[in-house]
Amino acid sequence: MNRQGRLILLLWLAWLAAPLCAQTPLPVYVLAEDGPFRDSFIQALDTATMPPITRVADPQQAELLIAVGDQAFRRAQKLDKPLLGVYVSRSAVALAQRKRCQCQGIWAGVALNDQLAMLETMMPLARRVGVIVGPKSAWTPGMVQDYQGRLGLTLLPVSSVEELGDRLRERLAEFDALLLPVDGQLFGPGTAKLVLLTSYRLRRPVFGPDRAYVQAGSAASLYASGSDLVAETLVHLQFFHSSKRLRRSGFVHTPTVAVNEHVASSFDMVFHDIDSLREALEVTP
């Protein structure tokens, strides 16, 4: 075979090999605390067809580690491999990156602008909104200050649970509504009563930070459901599979909505049931 013929053959073989390489499964290793979410998350990954992935039993055989939650995310960093955190705090990802970790994350919570869009839909006459932000909150002070929408936002920095009560009593009456970010330190089960009772007493609705708070008495919230997190994880895996680079950190792009219909009705909100609000926000159930 002459030189030109060999070149044509090599190009033809390369063309045939390209789709085969593209379909080579991505070996991943999952770290997560035992529980129902871990089981359902792994099952969803195992049944996914795009991108093609295979779960390996040994993390050293993986091209990418997937860690669910802050504790697993911190453990996974010791393995010194490309790492995707799922439902991890923004502060945990930032700290890891300062330590030169090759990692990105799907942050816990939802984007500030998404929550504000929901608030505007339910309270179109609202103008003044207080936003509490702590050192480990899903939102930063800069995110609040950079907001360019119709609402007038006031940043309420809080550094501790003790300071939270004082800030609510001093400032809440100034606003039409209060918006809370996901923050395990400030807005856990222990502070829900403090926040929500103060809200009821002053007749100022609370929005956010998640589904649990809505069940406790917050008016409504967008939140990252299990299916939302799986879908976002697959987007990150597809990006890594095709580019061998980690996709930039961020919140889920298609969050789920939760509404406390009793609370929303008591404040005479425009959309006080979940179906009408979901339709208004064009959020896929």
Side-chain angles (χ1 to χ4, degrees), residues 92-276:
V93 177
L95 176 61
Q97 291 173 339
R98 287 197 296 270
K99 295 179 178 179
R100 306 296 183 185
C101 172
Q102 188 182 351
C103 55
Q104 297 289 346
I106 300 170
W107 294 330
V110 299
L112 171 64
N113 283 353
D114 288 346
Q115 290 282 42
L116 289 171
M118 176 197 64
L119 191 157
E120 285 192 86
T121 300
M122 296 184 72
M123 294 184 69
L125 299 181
R127 290 295 179 269
R128 299 163 300 172
V129 177
V131 184
I132 293 179
V133 173
K136 296 187 179 299
S137 293
W139 307 327
T140 64
M143 292 176 182
V144 179
Q145 293 161 353
D146 291 343
Y147 171 71
Q148 299 292 321
R150 175 183 65 83
L151 295 169
L153 302 189
T154 298
L155 174 67
L156 301 174
V158 171
S159 59
S160 66
V161 171
E162 292 72 26
E163 188 181 358
L164 175 62
D166 294 336
R167 189 74 73 235
L168 288 170
R169 287 184 288 270
E170 293 167 0
R171 303 293 304 274
L172 185 55
E174 302 173 18
F175 307 115
D176 298 316
L178 182 69
L179 183 61
L180 308 179
V182 164
D183 187 320
Q185 176 183 336
L186 292 178
F187 305 120
T191 61
K193 185 176 181 180
L194 165 67
V195 174
L196 296 171
L197 284 180
T198 307
S199 158
Y200 298 153
R201 188 162 56 247
L202 297 176
R203 292 292 299 165
R204 298 295 188 272
V206 173
F207 289 85
D210 54 27
R211 184 183 184 187
Y213 245 70
V214 172
Q215 293 172 337
S218 173
S221 183
L222 296 176
Y223 69 98
S225 69
S227 58
D228 299 334
L229 292 169
V230 169
E232 195 73 17
T233 298
L234 293 175
V235 171
H236 280 258
L237 294 182
Q238 179 66 60
F239 184 88
F240 187 86
H241 184 256
S242 60
S243 68
K244 300 306 177 185
R245 294 185 294 111
L246 288 162
R247 193 167 182 262
R248 188 175 179 179
S249 296
F251 297 106
V252 296
H253 286 82
T254 55
T256 300
V257 63
V259 179
N260 188 313
E261 297 186 4
H262 173 74
V263 173
S265 296
S266 71
F267 282 103
D268 198 26
M269 294 183 182
V270 174
F271 297 97
H272 54 259
D273 68 274
I274 192 167
D275 292 331
S276 60

